[in-house]
Amino acid sequence: MFRDKLQIPKERLELYYSIGVIMAIPAMIVANTLIISTSVQKNYDTELRRKADLANGLIASSITPIIDQPASLQQYVKKTAADNPELNQISIVKPMPGGMFSALASSENNAAPTSFSDIQLSLAVSKRQSIAQLTTGTNGERSWNVGRPILQDNTVIAVVSTASSLKDADALIANTLLQSIGIVTLTAALSILLLANHFKFVEYAVLFRRQKEVDQLK
């Protein structure tokens, strides 16, 4: 008797199975959308980091001949920043004793301090290679901060520091994700309609079986 109570009618099993399948469809679409969006954002970040490093290399090559000309250096930095709005900040700094740095030129309007310390720039100097760091500002905007040393006779004479914004890439990914959510919402709504319609079919099937049983008893 107890075993009979545990047994689930066949029509209910079919109903539960149908509900599971129908609800799994939007869930799988959501999971797939999140996986693709994460993968795309990771690829975007990698590609933009490469471009940021390339931009630093071009700047380093261009300013090497004028590294000892402060006016020309400042003019070049200002023009480069104006021509490349995705570069939030460009600075040319000179390594000083004790791990300190002195600003030679900057795209920022505010005057840079005479000397300052910076862990990322110190790593670029000590390793003699580009060091990139992904940061998020107070406004939520992400940027690639890249420090690239300029070598002369195997000595670091300056470091190019830039901040490349990921604002446009993040906006594109967010827009794509928003569109995907709209598709998922529509799919979920259609699934609910299909489920409601399925309930009616199951109900009709149950009534038909009961009617058939009554007819057989008669």
Side-chain angles (χ1 to χ4, degrees), residues 150-198:
I150 301 176
L151 299 175
Q152 191 175 76
D153 298 330
N154 203 30
T155 301
V156 179
I157 60 173
V159 181
V160 179
S161 175
T162 62
S164 300
S165 174
L166 301 178
K167 181 179 179 180
D168 292 341
D170 288 346
L172 178 62
I173 293 174
N175 185 54
T176 302
L177 184 59
L178 185 62
Q179 291 177 355
S180 299
I181 291 175
I183 295 174
V184 170
T185 303
L186 179 60
T187 303
L190 292 175
S191 298
I192 293 174
L193 291 176
L194 181 62
L195 187 61
N197 197 39
H198 184 76

Side-chain angles (χ1 to χ4, degrees), residues 2 27 29 37 39 42 55 76 87 99 103 105 109 116 124 127 134 139 149 158 169 175 179 185 189 194 199 201:
F2 181 72
I29 295 177
S37 297
S39 177
K42 184 177 180 181
Y76 173 84
L87 294 177
N109 294 325
F116 61 96
K127 293 187 176 183
L134 187 62
N139 59 351
N175 185 54
Q179 291 177 355
T185 303
L194 181 62
F199 283 151
F201 285 135

Side-chain angles (χ1 to χ4, degrees), residues 6 10 31 46 57-58 67 69 74 78-79 91 113 147 180 209:
L6 291 179
K10 183 179 179 180
T46 302
L58 293 174
I67 197 68
Q69 303 173 26
Q74 181 64 31
K78 286 287 187 180
K79 184 177 185 305
S91 295
S180 299
R209 288 178 183 176

Side-chain angles (χ1 to χ4, degrees), residues 202-214:
V202 171
E203 185 179 355
Y204 292 153
V206 171
L207 290 175
F208 177 77
R209 288 178 183 176
R210 289 179 180 176
Q211 184 64 39
K212 190 175 180 181
E213 290 174 358
V214 171

Side-chain angles (χ1 to χ4, degrees), residues 133-144:
Q133 182 182 12
L134 187 62
T135 61
T136 303
T138 54
N139 59 351
E141 183 176 341
R142 301 190 308 143
S143 301
W144 272 117

Side-chain angles (χ1 to χ4, degrees), residues 69-84:
Q69 303 173 26
S72 299
L73 194 61
Q74 181 64 31
Q75 184 180 4
Y76 173 84
V77 168
K78 286 287 187 180
K79 184 177 185 305
T80 302
D83 294 341
N84 300 273

Side-chain angles (χ1 to χ4, degrees), residues 47-58 129-132 146-148 162 164:
E47 180 62 18
L48 291 175
R49 185 221 181 277
R50 186 187 68 82
K51 289 184 176 180
D53 192 34
L54 180 61
N56 272 35
L58 293 174
Q129 65 181 30
S130 293
I131 301 296
V146 181
R148 185 186 185 95
T162 62
S164 300

